[in-house]
Amino acid sequence: MLLSIKRLAKSFDDLEVLKDINMDIEKGTVVTIMGPSGSGKTTLLRCLNALEEPTNGVFSFDDGFTLDFQHKINKNDLLTLRRKSGMVFQSYNLFPHKTAIENVTEGPIIVQRRSKEEVYEQANNLLKKVGLEDKKDLYPHQLSGGQQQRVGIARALAIEPDLLLFDEPTSALDPELVGDVLSVIKDLANEGWTIVIVTHEVQFAQQVSDQVIFMDGGYIVEQGPPEKVLQNPSENRTQQFLQRILNP
């Protein structure tokens, strides 16, 4: 078990966005989170690396690192949590004034203080992995949306995280570019990376997921293997959601 999450809750003032979330993430597996807009999917993902600090809950990692958000968390522990995960954002979030390779090397050099020589060699290999070796000196505005998202994936990989987090990585892309990004994520899953992904791509989820979580209203309504949750859901709310997105 890479990460066990118990009683996770998140409120923004009086608005309770996540309510009593309990989930386990096994090492080397793909967990897909699905649900309607406003169900809490992205907030859950952002809590996993403390971009949003949970209101309550306990995170327990397999290396013994534990955070109990019922108590005040110190800055060093939050940084440790953030270093355990790499986030790929819906809207790329690349530095516009830096080239593709500079975007990939920023974190390892500035935050992890690794040697430039080592980091640049790794970055070249990662850009090659995502099919962008020949685009390394281009700036984000010179890249397509799909290419920017693949740079974002290389950037997340560069910090060598335990956990890769994807927040609807294809939702901002033109339909013909979606396949390239999903193909890279499939390759990462096949390599044994631990992945948590928020997506509406049902077919993709069926192909790569070990576990699917369906959320609504801040709760986990249903979770289990894709053949159960996506093909034979037991909850009416899950059935309604799947019918709507499969038969728009």
Side-chain angles (χ1 to χ4, degrees):
M1 188 70 59
L2 176 67
L3 172 60
S4 179
I5 296 161
K6 304 296 183 193
R7 304 182 305 280
L8 172 62
K10 175 62 182 176
S11 297
F12 296 96
D13 297 322
D14 294 332
L15 179 63
E16 204 176 3
V17 179
L18 296 177
K19 308 163 188 176
D20 195 29
I21 300 292
N22 297 280
M23 59 187 284
D24 293 327
I25 301 171
E26 297 276 0
K27 194 168 188 175
T29 63
V30 178
V31 178
T32 299
I33 303 173
M34 308 189 89
S37 296
S39 60
K41 308 181 300 293
T42 292
T43 301
L44 171 54
L45 205 67
R46 290 172 68 86
C47 282
L48 292 183
N49 75 340
L51 284 171
E52 300 290 354
E53 188 171 339
T55 308
N56 196 12
V58 179
F59 289 6
S60 303
F61 283 86
D62 62 350
D63 60 3
F65 178 67
T66 299
L67 287 175
D68 184 347
F69 289 97
Q70 196 168 5
H71 307 292
K72 180 71 176 170
I73 304 296
N74 67 51
K75 187 177 177 182
N76 285 340
D77 281 346
L78 284 178
L79 286 173
T80 299
L81 177 61
R82 287 186 184 130
R83 286 173 183 146
K84 286 179 172 293
S85 61
M87 176 78 101
V88 178
F89 297 89
Q90 184 175 344
S91 53
Y92 325 135
N93 281 31
L94 300 179
F95 295 113
H97 59 289
K98 292 184 180 291
T99 63
I101 197 163
E102 288 169 344
N103 267 281
V104 175
T105 58
E106 175 89 357
I109 290 172
I110 303 299
V111 179
Q112 297 178 326
R113 303 188 187 284
R114 287 157 52 195
S115 78
K116 283 189 178 182
E117 188 177 79
E118 173 206 341
V119 169
Y120 269 84
E121 182 180 355
Q122 177 200 38
N124 275 306
N125 290 333
L126 289 173
L127 288 171
K128 185 176 182 180
K129 178 195 280 282
V130 299
L132 293 175
E133 189 180 19
D134 60 336
K135 308 289 187 187
K136 66 180 183 180
D137 295 321
L138 298 185
Y139 290 88
H141 74 272
Q142 297 172 301
L143 301 170
S144 71
Q147 289 168 340
Q148 289 185 60
Q149 193 59 289
R150 283 184 279 152
V151 173
I153 294 172
R155 179 180 61 181
L157 291 170
I159 62 170
E160 300 175 346
D162 296 329
L163 190 60
L164 284 171
L165 308 175
F166 292 85
D167 183 16
E168 299 198 37
T170 60
S171 65
L173 300 179
D174 293 332
E176 66 268 24
L177 301 176
V178 168
D180 291 341
V181 172
L182 293 182
S183 176
V184 171
I185 300 172
K186 280 183 190 175
D187 289 345
L188 296 173
N190 291 333
E191 289 172 17
W193 285 87
T194 308
I195 294 171
V196 181
I197 179 170
V198 173
T199 184
H200 289 306
E201 301 281 348
V202 176
Q203 186 178 3
F204 172 76
Q206 287 176 331
Q207 291 171 355
V208 304
S209 303
D210 298 286
Q211 181 183 184
V212 175
I213 291 173
F214 175 72
M215 293 184 67
D216 192 30
Y219 291 101
I220 291 179
V221 175
E222 191 164 358
Q223 61 181 316
E227 55 269 21
K228 176 185 178 298
V229 177
L230 297 178
Q231 295 173 16
N232 191 27
S234 56
E235 300 293 329
N236 286 337
R237 187 66 190 90
T238 317
Q239 294 168 13
Q240 292 166 3
F241 173 79
L242 290 170
Q243 284 170 2
R244 195 164 68 246
I245 64 172
L246 292 173
N247 303 291

